[in-house]
C-alpha cells in the first residue's frame, strides 16, 4: 500500500513537527488533538500548533505552501477522517494507558492495512500492543523521530514480533525516499539506540563537570568540535532540547533498565540542575538554562552559569590547552592531556564509548546501526565505534584495564582489531561473532566516500579532485574549508571539462562536506587588497567568469548536486550548470552585497537570463530586471531547495532529493538522461532598459535609504548593481550579449572592491562570520 495520506495524533512539539515534515514530502495530513474543556474552538489545540509551525524558526515547512497540506482537527469530532489515512502516527503523552485507549479508538475507524506507529522512545512496543487485536499488532510499529523532525535525519524503527514485514518495508522506504531519513532498525529496548547512549553521555558529562568544578564553557569547548560533536557541546545541547524534559526521560530509563546497567550510576538529577528547574530555567524555550541572553538595558549579552554559585556572568571564549593539543595531535592528545580538561574528556568519553560497546548486540544487531544513530540523531561526526577506531581499539581497551574499568566483551573480542576496515576497496565492519562483513548500502545509494575507497582520483590538487563515477560520468569534489572556491578549484573545473570532453559523457559537481560551497575565498581577496594587487583580483574575477562560462558551453551536460550552503560563487556555479539535483536542505543565494560587492562570476547575467521567455524578457525589459535586482540587492537566501525554485536559483526542471545519501545517484542519473543528444545552450542576447531602467532602480535604492532600510554603503553597492542589471549605457532597442554583461559585472566588482567600506565589510566577515552594516 502506497502512503498517500497520513494523520498525526498529538499536536505537541513533536507531533506537529512530524505533521509538517509529512507535508514537506507532499503528503496531506490530518493533525488531531484533544478538545480543551470549555473551549468554543473545539480544534484549537491543533489550530494553534499549525499557527506555531507557520512561524517557527528554524522553519518547520520547506516552503510556506506546504502548510496547506496540514488540516487541524480533534479526536472527538474528526477520528472518522482517519479512514482515509495510510499511515497514522501517534505522538501523545508518554502514558501507556492513554496510548492504549487511543489505539482502541483508532482500530474502530482505520481502514484495513493502514499502518499505525508510535513516536514513543520510552515505552516498549510489546507493552503498547499487549492485549490488542492481532490485526492491530500486525500493522503496528514504533517510528521514533528526533526533534526537529525536518532537520534531524535519524528515524529509529522498531518492529514487534507480530508486525507485518510489508508494513516495515513500506515505512522504511517511505521514510528513506520521501522524508529523507536515515532509517535505523533498533531492538525493542529502553531508549532504543540514540537516547540510550545519548542520555547516558549527557548525564556523565554534566555530573563530571560539576564534580570537577569545571566551568560550563570549558566543558563545552572540550566535548564539542575537538571530538567531532556539534559546537553546542553538552550544556548548549541540553539548553536546546529543554532541561524540563530530562526528569521524565531519566525516570523512565531508571524504571525500565536492568539493575546492573551502568546508567543507574549517573541517572540522578544533580542538585544544581534541580534548582534551575525549580527556578524556571528550562533552556532556550524559557528564560535560559546553562546559558542565557541578558537583555537588560536594551542589549543582548550572552551569559553562562557558574555551576558552583548559580550566578551568571558574560561568556568569555575559553583558551583550553587540552583543546589546542587535540588540534595538534588528535583525540588521543586530548584524552591523555594532564589537565582538568583532559581528565574530564577522558572520564566522559571513556565511559560513553565503553557503554556503547557494552550494548551491542542488546540494542542493535551491529556497530554500524549504533554509529549511524549517533551521527544522525545527535550530530556527531563519528559514531562511538568510529571514535574507538580513531583512538585505536587496543589503546582504548588497555587504558580502560589500567584504570580498573570493565572492558566490554565486544572490545575484548576485537582483540585490537578495528571495528571498520577497507578490504578490496569496500568498507567492512566487525560483527559480534568476530568476522568482518561488508557495510551494505540501500539500493539507489551512491556515496562519494565509497567511490574514493576504490582508487585514486583521475586528477587532484590541494583544493579539489576529479573522480570517476562509472558509466561515463565524472565528479568534481571540492575539499577546501567551507568548500570555498579558489584558483585551484577553478583549475580543477577546467581540468574536468577537458577530461570529460576526451571520452566521457557528463560531469557532476558534488561533495559530501557539510556545505556545498560558501562562495569565493574571501581571504585571498583580502590579501590581494592589502597589497594593492588589483591586477590579481581582476585576473581572479575574469578566471571565474571564463571557467563558469566554459562549463555552460561544454559539449556535455553538467549537473550540480548541492547540499547545505551554496552561496555567492557557489550559487553562481549552480546557475551555470545545465541542471541541478539539489538536496532538499540546500540553502542557496547570491549574498555578495553583504561584503560590499556584486556577483562577479556571471550571477547577475544568469539571473537576468532566467527571466527570458521565448528569447525576450516577458512584460518588457523592466520587470525581470527589477526581480533580479530585488533578489540580489536584498541578498535573499532560499531556506530550502523548494524555496530556491521560487527565487529562480533552481529551474522548474531541476530535481530535489530528500535523502542526502541518494543525492549523488540521482544527480548521476540526471546527467546520463541529459547526455543522449546533448547540445549546449546557444549564447543569448537580452533587451535591457539602459539608463532609464537604472534611474528607476536607483530611486528605489535611495527610497530604502530614506526609510532607514539601507545603509550608506548599501546605496553605493545598489547603484553599481543597478548599472549592471540595466545593461549599462545601452539603448532599449539594442541587444546586450552575455559577454557585455560579464564586462559590466567585472568592472563593477573591481570598482567596489577598491572602496574602503567594502574592505571593512570583507574584513568583518572574515573575523566574525557576520555581515557589517556600514
Amino acid at each position: 500500500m502506497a502512503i498517500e495520506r497520513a494523520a498525526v495524533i498529538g499536536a505537541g512539539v513533536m507531533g506537529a513537527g512530524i505533521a509538517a515534515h509529512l507535508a514537506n514530502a507532499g503528503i496531506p495530513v490530518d493533525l488531531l488533538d484533544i478538545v480543551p474543556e470549555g473551549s468554543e474552538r473545539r480544534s484549537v489545540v491543533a489550530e494553534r500548533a499549525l499557527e506555531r509551525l507557520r512561524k517557527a524558526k528554524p522553519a518547520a515547512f520547506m516552503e510556506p505552501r506546504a502548510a496547506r497540506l496540514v488540516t487541524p482537527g480533534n479526536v472527538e469530532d474528526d477520528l472518522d477522517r482517519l479512514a482515509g489515512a495510510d499511515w497514522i502516527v501517534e505522538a501523545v503523552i508518554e502514558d501507556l494507558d492513554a496510548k492504549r485507549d487511543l489505539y482502541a479508538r483508532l482500530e474502530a475507524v482505520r481502514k484495513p492495512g493502514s499502518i499505525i506507529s508510535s513516536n514513543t522512545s520510552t515505552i516498549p512496543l510489546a507493552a503498547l500492543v499487549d492485549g490488542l487485536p492481532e490485526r492491530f499488532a500486525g500493522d503496528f510499529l514504533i517510528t521514533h523521530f528526533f526533534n526537529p523532525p525536518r532537520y534531524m535525519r535519524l528515524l529509529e524503527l522498531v518492529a514487534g514480533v507480530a508486525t507485518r514485514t510489508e508494513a516495515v518495508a513500506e515505512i522504511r522506504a517511505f521514510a528513506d525516499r520521501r522524508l529523507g531519513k536515515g532509517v535505523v532498525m533498533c531492538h525493542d529496548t529502553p531508549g532504543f539506540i540514540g537516547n540510550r547512549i545519548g542520555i547516558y553521555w549527557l548525564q556523565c558529562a554534566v555530573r563530571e563537570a560539576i564534580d570537577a568544578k569545571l566551568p560550563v564553557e570549558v566543558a563545552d569547548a572540550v566535548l564539542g568540535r575537538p571530538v567531532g560533536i556539534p559546537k553546542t557541546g553538552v550544556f548548549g545541547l541540553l539548553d536546546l532540547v529543554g532541561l524540563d524534559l530530562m526528569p521524565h526521560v531519566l525516570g523512565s530509563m531508571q524504571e525500565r533498565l536492568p539493575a546492573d546497567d551502568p546508567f543507574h550510576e549517573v541517572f540522578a538529577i544533580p542538585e544544581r540542575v534541580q534548582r534551575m528547574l525549580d527556578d524556571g530555567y528550562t533552556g532556550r524555550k524559557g528564560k535560559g538554562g546553562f546559558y542565557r541572553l541578558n537583555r537588560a538595558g536594551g542589549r543582548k549579552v550572552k551569559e553562562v552559569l557558574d555551576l558552583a554559585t548559580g550566578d551568571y556572568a558574560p561568556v568569555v571564549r575559553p583558551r583550553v590547552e587540552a583543546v589546542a593539543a587535540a588540534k595538534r595531535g588528535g583525540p588521543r592528545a586530548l584524552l591523555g592531556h594532564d589537565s582538568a580538561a583532559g581528565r574530564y574528556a577522558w572520564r566522559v568519553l571513556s565511559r560513553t564509548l565503553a557503554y556503547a560497546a557494552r550494548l551491542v548486540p542488546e540494542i542493535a544487531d551491529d556497530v554500524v546501526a549504533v554509529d549511524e544513530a549517533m551521527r544522525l540523531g545527535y550530530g556527531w561526526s563519528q559514531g562511538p565505534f568510529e571514535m574507538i577506531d580513531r583512538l585505536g581499539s587496543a589503546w582504548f581497551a588497555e587504558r580502560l584495564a589500567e584504570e580498573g574499568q570493565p572492558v566490554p566483551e565486544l572490545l575484548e573480542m576485537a582483540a585490537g582489531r578495528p571495528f571498520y576496515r577497507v578490504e578490496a576497496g569496500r568498507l567492512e565492519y566487525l560483527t559480534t561473532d568476530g568476522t568482518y562483513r561488508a557495510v551494505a548500502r540501500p539500493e539507489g545509494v551512491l556515496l562519494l566516500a565509497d567511490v574514493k575507497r576504490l582508487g585514486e582520483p583521475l586528477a587532484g590538487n590541494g583544493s579539489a579532485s576529479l573522480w570517476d563515477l562509472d558509466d561515463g560520468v565524472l565528479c568534481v569534489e571540492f575539499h577546501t574549508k567551507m568548500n570555498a572556491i579558489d584558483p585551484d578549484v577553478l583549475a580543477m573545473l577546467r581540468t574536468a571539462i577537458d577530461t570529460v570532453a576526451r571520452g566521457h559523457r557528463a560531469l557532476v559537481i558534488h561533495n559530501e562536506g557539510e556545505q556545498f560551497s560558501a562562495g569565493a575565498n574571501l581571504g585571498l581577496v583580502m590579501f590581494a587588497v592589502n597589497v594593492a594587487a588589483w591586477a590579481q583580483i581582476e585576473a581572479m574575477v575574469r578566471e571565474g567568469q571564463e571557467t563558469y562560462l566554459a562549463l555552460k558551453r561544454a559539449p556535455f551536460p553538467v549537473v550540480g548536486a548541492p547540499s547545505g550552503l551554496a552561496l555567492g560563487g557557489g550559487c553562481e556555479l549552480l546557475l551555470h550548470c545545465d541542471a541541478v539535483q539539489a538536496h532538499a536542505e540546500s540553502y542557496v543565494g547570491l549574498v555578495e552585497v553583504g561584503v560590499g560587492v556584486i556577483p562577479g562570476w556571471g550571477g547577475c547575467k544568469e539571473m537576468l537570463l532566467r527571466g527570458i521567455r521565448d528569447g525576450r524578457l516577458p512584460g518588457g525589459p523592466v520587470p525581470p530586471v527589477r526581480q533580479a535586482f530585488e533578489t540580489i540587492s536584498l541578498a535573499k537566501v532560499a531556506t530550502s531547495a523548494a524555496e530556491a525554485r521560487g527565487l529562480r536559483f533552481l529551474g522548474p526542471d531541476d530535481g530535489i532529493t530528500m535523502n542526502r545519501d541518494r543525492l549523488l545517484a540521482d544527480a548521476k542519473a540526471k546527467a546520463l538522461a541529459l547526455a543522449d543528444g546533448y547540445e549546449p545552450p546557444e549564447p543569448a542576447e537580452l533587451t535591457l532598459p539602459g539608463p532609464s531602467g537604472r534611474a528607476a532602480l536607483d530611486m528605489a535604492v535611495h527610497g530604502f535609504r530614506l526609510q532607514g532600510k539601507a545603509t550608506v554603503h548599501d546605496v553605493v553597492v545598489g547603484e553599481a548593481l543597478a548599472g549592471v542589471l540595466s545593461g549599462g549605457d545601452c539603448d532599449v532597442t539594442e541587444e546586450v550579449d552575455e559577454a557585455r554583461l560579464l564586462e559590466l559585472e567585472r568592472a563593477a566588482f573591481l570598482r567596489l572592491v577598491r572602496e574602503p567600506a567594502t574592505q571593512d565589510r570583507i574584513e568583518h566577515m572574515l573575523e566574525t562570520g557576520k555581515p557589517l552594516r556600514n
Side-chain angles (χ1 to χ4, degrees):
M1 176 188 296
I3 295 173
E4 298 177 350
R5 187 172 188 89
V8 177
I9 316 297
V13 172
M14 281 300 301
I18 293 168
H21 198 49
L22 285 163
N24 289 333
I27 301 297
V29 55
D30 290 295
L31 177 62
L32 310 185
D33 210 303
I34 62 170
V35 177
E37 187 175 348
S39 174
E40 296 182 2
R41 293 169 55 189
R42 293 180 63 80
S43 299
V44 65
V45 175
E47 290 167 354
R48 286 178 176 169
L50 181 55
E51 292 170 9
R52 289 193 296 271
L53 287 173
R54 293 180 190 271
K55 301 174 183 177
K57 298 293 182 184
F61 294 110
M62 289 181 173
E63 58 176 335
R65 290 179 300 176
R68 301 173 190 171
L69 293 173
V70 180
T71 304
N74 67 79
V75 294
E76 300 298 327
D77 306 327
D78 303 312
L79 274 187
D80 59 329
R81 290 193 209 159
L82 274 55
D86 303 304
W87 181 17
I88 303 169
V89 182
E90 169 268 302
V92 303
I93 187 172
E94 292 290 86
D95 179 271
L96 179 59
D97 292 335
K99 291 178 185 290
R100 288 170 56 82
D101 288 345
L102 174 63
Y103 297 160
R105 298 175 66 190
L106 295 179
E107 179 66 2
V109 299
R110 74 186 183 97
K111 66 181 180 181
S114 62
I115 299 170
I116 299 181
S117 70
S118 175
N119 187 58
T120 185
S121 65
T122 61
I123 303 176
L125 185 149
L128 292 172
V129 299
D130 185 34
L132 289 171
E134 184 178 336
R135 186 186 85 143
F136 183 92
D139 294 333
F140 185 83
L141 35 75
I142 288 174
T143 49
H144 181 223
F145 290 81
F146 278 63
N147 192 41
R150 170 183 166 183
Y151 298 96
M152 298 306 294
R153 290 185 58 202
L154 178 61
L155 179 72
E156 293 181 319
L157 187 58
V158 182
V161 294
T163 307
R164 294 184 294 114
T165 56
E166 296 85 358
V168 176
E170 184 65 41
I171 292 299
R172 188 169 190 170
F174 179 84
D176 172 353
R177 295 177 181 273
R178 298 291 298 277
L179 298 182
K181 296 299 177 185
V183 181
V184 175
M185 296 300 300
C186 307
H187 297 166
D188 191 15
T189 56
F192 310 132
I193 299 174
N195 284 346
R196 180 75 173 273
I197 297 171
I199 292 170
Y200 179 84
W201 162 63
L202 290 171
Q203 280 294 103
C204 282
V206 172
R207 293 174 63 89
E208 290 290 343
I210 292 173
D211 290 348
K213 297 181 173 56
L214 203 67
V216 165
E217 60 271 39
V218 172
D220 279 347
V222 170
L223 290 184
R225 288 181 170 168
V227 291
I229 289 170
K231 65 179 180 179
T232 56
V234 170
F235 293 96
L237 177 60
L238 285 168
D239 279 353
L240 183 63
V241 300
L243 276 67
D244 53 328
L245 296 179
M246 295 304 291
H248 175 78
V249 174
L250 292 170
S252 176
M253 298 281 278
Q254 181 196 16
E255 178 185 348
R256 300 183 186 281
L257 289 175
D260 64 345
D261 194 285
F263 175 83
H264 296 292
E265 301 171 5
V266 299
F267 91 92
I269 297 176
E271 180 182 354
R272 171 58 62 198
V273 177
Q274 188 59 57
R275 286 186 196 173
M276 294 170 66
L277 291 170
D278 294 341
D279 293 339
Y281 283 90
T282 58
R284 290 192 190 183
K285 62 186 176 183
K287 57 185 181 181
F290 295 105
Y291 297 92
R292 73 177 184 184
L293 277 181
N294 188 337
R295 294 180 171 86
R299 299 188 305 157
K300 288 184 180 180
V301 178
K302 186 176 182 181
E303 297 181 335
V304 63
L305 179 74
D306 186 316
L307 293 172
T309 67
D311 297 328
Y312 284 90
V315 172
V316 177
R317 186 175 180 179
R319 299 181 64 181
V320 184
E321 180 55 37
V323 172
K327 292 179 180 178
R328 295 189 300 266
R332 274 202 207 180
L334 172 66
L335 301 186
H337 198 267
D338 187 16
S339 64
R343 288 187 288 274
Y344 171 72
W346 168 252
R347 285 287 296 162
V348 175
L349 281 181
S350 65
R351 296 171 74 181
T352 302
L353 299 181
Y355 188 56
R358 185 184 190 274
L359 295 176
V360 177
E362 177 191 340
I363 61 176
D365 290 335
D366 52 56
V367 300
V368 178
V370 173
D371 283 342
E372 187 170 11
M374 295 311 295
R375 287 196 310 269
L376 301 183
Y378 278 80
W380 293 10
S381 63
Q382 294 180 312
F385 296 96
E386 292 167 317
M387 286 191 192
I388 292 173
D389 276 358
R390 192 173 177 197
L391 291 170
S393 63
W395 179 90
F396 183 58
E398 288 169 6
R399 184 159 178 191
L400 288 176
E402 286 172 3
E403 297 191 356
Q405 294 190 54
V407 178
E409 183 178 335
L410 185 65
L411 196 57
E412 287 186 331
M413 182 272 294
R417 291 177 294 168
F419 285 99
Y420 295 92
R421 72 179 187 184
V422 176
E423 190 73 15
R426 297 190 65 186
L427 183 65
E428 297 181 339
Y429 69 95
L430 186 63
T431 68
T432 55
D433 63 10
T435 62
Y436 282 94
R437 186 175 302 163
V439 175
R441 306 294 187 200
E443 183 181 355
V445 168
L446 174 63
L447 300 182
L448 193 56
D450 288 341
V451 173
K452 292 161 69 173
R453 290 188 185 97
L454 291 170
E456 297 297 318
L458 300 179
N461 58 39
S463 298
S465 300
L466 182 64
W467 299 93
D468 190 343
L469 302 182
D470 287 333
D471 302 313
V473 181
L474 303 188
C475 176
V476 170
E477 173 202 26
F478 305 162
H479 38 74
T480 55
K481 183 178 181 180
M482 296 286 284
N483 287 318
I485 299 170
D486 62 15
D488 279 349
V489 168
L490 296 176
M492 187 53 57
L493 288 171
R494 293 193 299 275
T495 296
I497 293 170
D498 294 340
T499 305
V500 176
R502 290 198 305 268
H504 297 275
R505 303 185 66 197
L507 177 67
V508 170
I509 303 173
H510 171 74
N511 64 72
E512 290 173 350
E514 189 174 345
Q515 317 299 351
F516 175 72
S517 175
N521 188 325
L522 289 178
L524 292 178
V525 174
M526 199 62 206
F527 176 80
V529 166
N530 287 335
V531 296
W534 308 117
Q536 181 180 336
I537 295 175
E538 180 177 8
M540 189 184 305
V541 176
R542 188 185 297 274
E543 183 180 16
Q545 290 182 340
E546 292 175 350
T547 301
Y548 284 10
L549 196 59
L551 283 171
K552 184 175 181 177
R553 298 281 183 259
F556 51 82
V558 179
V559 176
S563 180
L565 298 179
L567 303 179
C571 175
E572 290 178 288
L573 177 59
L574 296 178
L575 293 175
H576 285 81
C577 291
D578 294 285
V580 174
Q581 185 70 34
H583 179 223
E585 297 297 347
S586 294
Y587 314 117
V588 188
L590 295 170
V591 296
E592 285 86 349
V593 297
V595 290
V597 294
I598 65 164
W601 284 346
C604 299
K605 165 182 68 73
E606 289 300 316
M607 290 304 290
L608 286 174
L609 289 172
R610 289 183 177 227
I612 288 181
R613 184 182 301 145
D614 299 328
R616 292 285 175 179
L617 293 169
V622 174
V625 171
R626 185 179 295 125
Q627 182 181 29
F629 180 80
E630 180 180 321
T631 299
I632 298 171
S633 66
L634 296 179
K636 290 186 177 182
V637 175
T639 59
S640 68
E643 279 194 5
R645 276 181 174 161
L647 291 172
R648 289 187 173 176
F649 296 131
L650 298 185
D653 297 327
D654 290 332
I656 297 176
T657 298
M658 290 293 280
N659 191 327
R660 186 173 182 180
D661 288 348
R662 297 185 176 277
L663 179 59
L664 182 55
D666 289 351
K668 178 183 173 182
K670 182 177 283 291
L672 288 171
L674 293 171
D676 291 334
Y678 175 79
E679 293 184 5
E682 293 291 332
E685 293 186 335
L686 298 85
T687 301
L688 296 174
S692 61
R694 174 175 180 168
L697 296 177
D698 285 347
M699 287 179 61
V701 172
H702 285 277
F704 284 132
R705 174 62 182 151
L706 292 173
Q707 297 169 39
K709 297 179 180 179
T711 67
V712 172
H713 197 50
D714 287 339
V715 173
V716 174
V717 178
E719 288 177 342
L721 178 63
V724 174
L725 294 176
S726 59
D729 295 330
C730 72
D731 186 88
V732 72
T733 61
E734 298 175 358
E735 296 288 340
V736 180
D737 62 19
E738 294 182 57
R740 174 57 179 158
L741 283 172
L742 290 175
E743 288 177 9
L744 291 171
E745 278 189 17
R746 192 164 61 248
F749 185 99
L750 294 170
R751 188 167 64 252
L752 288 169
V753 82
R754 288 175 176 264
E755 293 275 350
T758 289
Q759 295 164 18
D760 289 342
R761 286 191 177 190
I762 295 174
E763 193 166 5
H764 189 269
M765 178 63 73
L766 289 170
E767 290 177 354
T768 69
K770 298 177 181 179
L772 174 67
R773 302 287 293 152
N774 61 346

